[in-house]
Amino acid sequence: MLPSDTAFTASNAKLVHFPLHVNQHRMAAHSDRHQWFVKTEMFIRTKSFSEIKPHLVAHKQWVAALRAEGQLITSGYRVDADGKPGGGGLMLFAANSYVAAAELVQQDPLILNGCVDWQLNRWIAEVGDIALVDGGSWYSQNGEI
């Protein structure tokens, strides 16, 4: 959710787009142009998985389409020590501002359809760096849940 003192308009919201194949050196060169954000979420307990599933499929397709456009973004789910899901979802992505990040997150099919409780935070790396690459289990399963 946007802070109450933040004016949210389409004119001041702008997403950052980069090529899909970004290596660490190139990402470091762009680090002054974008900020990292993390969206965490948990499924709404009042909806069954069968109600949520079509929107989860749409969410994965939405993230894949953003990646294809060059958006630095990755999304997945958290698991316990036994590898069982249930810890909620996490999406890491780049944007120019909190307002732009909130605009992006509010386009997520899971949010648009009231399937998740969510929180958005800016993430500031203290030690190390990250690089996003193509891949993930969704891609290896050809977009199937």
Side-chain angles (χ1 to χ4, degrees), residues 5-87:
D5 61 343
T6 302
F8 180 72
T9 65
S11 63
N12 66 4
K14 184 176 181 184
L15 298 177
V16 179
H17 295 279
F18 293 104
L20 281 177
H21 301 285
V22 179
N23 65 35
Q24 289 178 320
H25 300 290
R26 186 147 183 213
M27 185 175 281
H30 289 295
S31 63
D32 61 333
R33 296 186 196 162
H34 71 268
Q35 301 166 15
W36 287 106
F37 292 87
V38 176
K39 178 193 70 153
T40 53
E41 63 192 16
M42 294 290 291
F43 288 141
I44 299 288
R45 296 187 188 269
T46 57
K47 289 193 176 197
S48 68
F49 186 71
S50 62
E51 291 175 281
I52 293 172
K53 186 175 179 178
H55 307 298
L56 181 58
V57 170
H59 161 81
K60 292 176 181 184
Q61 293 168 340
W62 174 71
V63 171
L66 288 170
R67 289 178 58 83
E69 292 172 6
Q71 173 72 36
L72 287 176
I73 187 169
T74 189
S75 179
Y77 57 94
R78 298 174 285 169
V79 297
D80 66 16
D82 296 321
K84 295 179 183 174

